Structure formats: structure tokens, C-alpha cells
Amino acid sequence: MRRLVVITAFFLLYPQTSWATISVKPSSGPLYQGQPVELSVTIKEIRPLKAELFYRPMGVRTYQHIPVDVGDGETLTAVIPPTAVVTPGIEYYLKVVDISGRVITSPSVYAEFNPYTIGILPSSPLPEVNLISHDPSVPVRDVSGEIVLEITHRLPEERITVLVDGTDITPLAGVSGRRLSFPLELMADPGEHTLVVELRGEDGSRRERSWRLTIAGKEKMDKEDKTLEFYARGGVSMNYGKQLKSPSGSTDDSVSGNLNLEFGMKGRDWEMTWNGINIQYIKDSPGDDFTINSGFYFTLRKGEQFVEYGDITIRETQLTAPSFARRGVQAKLKGFGTEVHLFGVSTQTVSGWNSGIGGTDQQVYGLSIERSLFSGLLPLKVVYITGENQKVDGFNTSSINSPSKGDILGLTMSPVVYGVRIDGEIAGSRYDDDTTDSTGKKKDVAGTIGASTTIHGYSLSMGYYYYGPDFSSIANPNFTTDREGFSGGVSTTIGPSNISLSLNRGWDNVEGNPSRAIVYSTSLTLACGLTPPPPLPGVNISYTRSVQDSVKEPVGTQEVKNTNDTVNLGLSFSGKGWSASAGGNYGRLNDEVGGLDSETRGFNLSGSLTPFEGLSLSPAFNFTESKASDVVKTTRIASLTASIPLWSPYADTSFQVSYTSSSASDGSQDSTDLNGSWRLSVNIHEFLKKWIDYGTEMLALSASYSKIDDKVSPSNSGEDISVFLSINLFAPLELSGGL
């Protein structure tokens, strides 16, 4: 009896040690820097009320956390975002609260101090980008041509951003092979314009190049021209949806509406715009039925002076604030050869009706001054940023979770010496990641330096970086510290072919903390491309070898020693009205210590056929197979997208269907997923233009279908059928005039 009382009391005092079990498993196969990591979570013997996943890169003090949808089943899925997936690895743990209020973690004992770890392999380095169509030192007089830039090796279009005078014009730019181009008329106004090209790697790294181009002045405006112009644009859409069938048996309906507004005024040398006003209505919304869905954006420009307010992006330097998207205000002022930025933004992202400018305890303020010395030979930029986030309103993937405070001072320079471009930055920070304790601000430094040049057609580059363990920026919360390393690369173009070779080596624990091992990561990449004239196919092939090894492991810590080899091959074909591509990849991980060897192989086929205007067919197929711990997992995906004109210009239809099959040799996975959607669009403006001859009025009927058959977890199986009716009125409705 006494033993029963003791056991009962033990379980009451320490409920986590009772019958509740939680297991967390990462996806199989090698994991690369900059790619999201999917975790499979299995919860047994409890009914979870909510769950959170805590994660951080190795060497980072503060955990980020994301909510995990508990749903109705035992198997959940959580995804660590790519910004946190960096070498040499990431640490994570799971916290679950059940319906009785109990807190259970995995690992079960001191999870915060004893997290799970995952090794991460390095990704390929970013290419260089060069302006080849114009000489920035010569004023441009003909604006009828194009701006053309060259990238030293191919990069997916979604990882390229082009800015002209701070405006994102990426959708208007075209990418062909290694060439990037856009119409020069986008910067046709006389005066100086700034062109910025940003390249983003899979690991979240960025490379940015900027140029200043001067457009030669035109003659003054005719006196009869209007001195004041104004415009207003807007559109209204209404949507009704009906769920005909669902796995739960419910047949709910939905009603929503959207009003989009945009205003502007323009004088001889000034312009004001106000857009992004998107007022949304959703019936029975968990929050307000009416809200501002996409924020707002107000600008005022006079000559070269520019002020913006609303949902803006602060872009300063790589170490201080490479890309900080928040709601706030920023002024960009130019004069006497100097450019000054002043800004104040919220530390938390803001949505809905909230202004986001708020109190000083949730603000980041900054000042930057940019100027070229010695007749342009030495471009310099100084940045100072200070701020705090004392009220954490809720989870935000881009904000520090603990109450924090800090400031940072950075200096960049980019001189060209004897044809060699040198890019250097040094920054010092004082940062307190938790103002509720007595630690206070910790000081540290970080720095980067790189050199690039072209000699006899060969592009050469090399660089070095150091990020101190306590370095941090309030405007760059996901920056990974405690890193040091170097890189180098060479590339060249020979006729229609290009070849590049790059080497990267980095390590963590830069101050040699005896409680942690030092993990070295080395990668070597060789890439070749061939872009011959049609009908010959374009070919791209690359090989990467990545090696990780550790030294000075503390007692009881397993050493890291693995090698990963990856080969990628791609073919592309094109002709009049059609295009096709095929690709394959193979990867092999040799884990000499942990025994977690794996192999991954796959191939894909895709194409596009446009036999005549309006008709488009795009089939695709993808196959992936991975083997780890003697378990083979296979995924097959087939899809077809089509757009068909029915009665031009009155009606057209489109559809998309996809089929996914996933299986595992050990029976842990066996499911199929069939999805389809169809849309019929009717241009009712063509029938109404006798009475309403402005804007565009559209009527659309659409349907979606989804069927999941999961033989391992039948509770995940189900069928969903929904139909939607939407109407767009006066979209876009535009009114304009002048005085």
C-alpha cells in the first residue's frame, strides 16, 4: 500500500514522467544550409491542446519558436524555416500542453539545455554580378535600349531582386541564361539613378551590387503642360464559397470581399503616392471581420529627396540590416555628393488597422550616411542603429522573442584599386537578448572583407569573415554568429559555355569554448554550363563535395566526421511555341562516426506547349528516392496545368491536376494525394461596355478537389470538394486628371 501511495504521488508531482510519449524525427537524407527542415512529431497517450517547436542555430543563445498545429491526429508536422538552417547544425526541442494544462517536452529532461541536434551541410556560394551594357561614369543619352547585367553562374529567378531607386522592378526584368536585363525607360527621368541587384543563396545569405547611373537632362517642359496631375485607382471583388464535402463531414460556406485603393498626385518636380490600401471583409473571421489585409504604403518624392511611410523595407549593410521589413517611416535625402537615410520602424511586424509606429519600447531607429571620397575612389557608408523590443506581442519569425535591447555601428567601404574591387565591412554591437535578467549588454565585433577582379576573361574572387559569439543586431534578429571562415572562386566564359570553381571553409566556436567542439565545414563546387543556339539543348552540370570534421570535443561528446558528394545535371530545350527541361541529381552522405549514411537520387521532367495564342499546356513529373538506415523512401509527383480559350475575348477556362505518391520500404509511409482545380472566367465587361465603358468587370466560377488516401494513418485520409463564385468590379478602375 505504501508503495502504491509513493508511486501515485510521484506521478502527480512529475506528470511528464507518466504515460505520455512524444517522438520527434527529422526528414531522412542529407540536410543542406538554407533549406527548411521538416520534423515529424508523434504524440501518444495524451490529447494535446497546443504545441510549440523551439529551435536555434548552433552558437546562437536565443531560441526562436513556432506554433505547431495539433489537429486531431497523433502525427504532426513542424518545419524549421530556412533562415535558421545553417552549418554546422541546429538545435531544437518540442513543448506540448495537454487539455489538462500539463506541460510535456521532448527531450523530456531539461529540454532547453539538452536539445536535439541536426547536422547541416554547406550550400554553394553565390555568384558575382556585373553591369556590362553601360559605363556608370558616362551619362546615358539614349533611353530606348536595355540595362544588361551578367551573373557568373546561373541562379534561380526567385532568388534575384532588382531595385531601381528603391523600387522593386524584378517582375519587369528578364533572365536568359546568365544574362539579366530590363528596359532602360524604367529610369528615364533625367538625373542620377541607383541600380541595386541582390542575389540570395539557399542558406539565406545575400550578395548585393549597386551602381549609380546618370540620365542626361532633357529640355524643359512646355509651358502648356499640366502643372498638377492626379489619379485614383481601385477595384472591388466579392467571393462566395461552398464546401460540398470534407473529411469531417461539414459543409460550411464562406463570404468575403475586398476593396483595393490607390491614390497619387504629381507636379513638375514632386510626386505623392498612397497605395497598398487593401480593405478585406471575411465573414465570421476569428478576429475583426473588416481589416487591412496588406497594410499600406505612402511615398513623397521631390527631386532626389524621398520619404516613405507604411510597410517598408530597411536595406543598409549585410551586418547591420540587410533586409528588415517592418511598418514605419524612412527618409532618403541626397545632396552635396552625400546620401543620408533616417528611419524609425516597429520591432514587431504589424498587420491590420494597427499603425505599428507605437511606443518607444518597440522601436528601431537608424541613421546611415553614404559618400564617396577622393573623387569617387573610396565609397564609404556609416550606419548606426539602436532599438528595443520590450513588449513581445506574440510569436513572430522575424523578431527576437525575449525582451531585448541593443545598438550597432557599422562601416563599409568598396574602393577599386588597380582594377580590384574591395568590399569590406566592420561592425561593433552592444546587445542584451533578455533585459529581464541582470546580464546587460554584451559587446562584440564582426567583419567581412572580399576582393574581386577580372583578368584576361577570368573572374576571380576571395573573401574572409568573422562573426563574434556575442555579436548581434536588433535589426537583423536571425543573424547567425560565432562563425569564421574564408572563400574563393574563379569563373570564365568560353564561347557559349561557362565554368566556375569555388571553395568555402568555415568553422564555429571561434573563441574555443572548451564546453563545445570546433566543427569545420569545407565545400568545393565545380559548375559548367553550355548555352548553344537553338535547336541545340542547354546543359548545366555541377559537382559539390562537402566535408565536416570536428576537433577538441569535450568528454562525452561524439566527434563529427562526414563527407557528402552531390551531382546535378540539367538539360533545357526550346522551340517556337514549346519548351522542355530535364534534370537529375544524386547525393551520397558518408557518416564515418554516426553511421547515418544516406543516398538520394531523383529526376524531373517538365515542359510547356503553346500551339496558338491563349492555349497553354504544362506537364511535369518528379521522382525522388532516398535511402537511410536501410529504409528506402520514394516520392512521385505528376501534374498538368492548362489554360484554354473558349470564346475570346469573352470567356476562358483553366485547370490544374496533380498526383503524389509517397511510400517507404519499412511500411512507415504509404499514401497518395490527388488534387485538382478548375476555373471558368467570363469577361462581363464586354457585355456591359455599352453602359459602363471603364475598368474591367470579371465573373469567375471555380472548383477544387482533394483526396488523400493514407494507409498508415487512415485518420489523415479524406475527400474535400469546394466551389467558389467571385466577381471583380471596376478592377482596375482608374480616374485621372490635371490642372
Side-chain angles (χ1 to χ4, degrees), residues 283-492:
K283 176 190 173 186
D284 300 328
S285 170
D288 296 332
D289 288 354
F290 285 94
T291 185
I292 294 183
N293 183 42
S294 61
F296 61 92
Y297 184 58
F298 172 86
T299 68
L300 177 61
R301 184 189 300 273
K302 181 176 175 59
E304 294 185 330
Q305 317 312 319
F306 179 72
V307 177
E308 57 182 347
Y309 171 74
D311 295 324
I312 65 177
T313 299
I314 304 301
R315 300 177 186 272
E316 293 301 341
T317 68
Q318 185 69 32
L319 296 179
T320 59
S323 182
F324 193 53
R326 291 293 187 272
R327 187 168 292 181
V329 61
Q330 178 173 217
K332 300 179 180 180
L333 310 174
K334 294 181 181 180
F336 305 102
T338 303
E339 182 170 341
V340 177
H341 293 179
L342 294 163
F343 60 84
V345 297
S346 172
T347 48
Q348 293 278 114
T349 56
V350 180
S351 61
W353 301 102
N354 298 323
S355 68
I357 302 305
T360 57
D361 55 358
Q362 280 188 303
Q363 290 290 296
V364 169
Y365 303 98
L367 165 68
S368 71
I369 302 174
E370 186 173 0
R371 184 180 177 86
S372 293
L373 304 179
F374 307 114
S375 301
L377 296 178
L378 182 59
L380 294 175
K381 186 172 186 177
V382 179
V383 182
Y384 174 73
I385 299 174
T386 183
E388 56 185 310
N389 186 23
Q390 298 297 342
K391 296 179 181 178
V392 183
D393 298 329
F395 168 69
N396 180 329
T397 58
S398 297
S399 292
I400 301 297
N401 291 305
S402 300
S404 55
K405 187 174 184 178
D407 43 64
I408 185 170
L409 177 65
L411 170 67
T412 66
M413 61 180 70
S414 52
V416 177
V417 181
Y418 296 108
V420 179
R421 178 184 173 90
I422 300 174
D423 293 288
E425 179 176 4
I426 186 169
S429 70
R430 299 186 306 162
Y431 190 75
D432 184 354
D433 63 351
D434 189 351
T435 58
T436 60
D437 59 25
S438 58
T439 304
K441 292 181 178 179
K442 295 181 180 180
K443 299 179 181 179
D444 215 329
V445 297
T448 64
I449 187 168
S452 59
T453 188
T454 300
I455 302 176
H456 301 301
Y458 290 87
S459 298
L460 308 173
S461 64
M462 59 186 300
Y464 167 81
Y465 63 89
Y466 172 87
Y467 310 142
D470 292 319
F471 176 83
S472 193
S473 170
I474 191 74
N476 192 12
N478 288 328
F479 186 80
T480 302
T481 59
D482 202 6
R483 297 286 186 275
E484 187 175 5
F486 59 86
S487 62
V490 58
S491 64
T492 188

Side-chain angles (χ1 to χ4, degrees), residues 74 110 130 171 192 227 247 249 294 318 328 350 456 506 512 514 560 596 604 611 613 616 642 695 732:
E74 293 182 348
Y110 299 113
N130 300 295
E192 189 177 74
T227 59
S294 61
Q318 185 69 32
V350 180
H456 301 301
V560 176
L596 301 176
N604 60 81
E613 186 177 356
S616 174

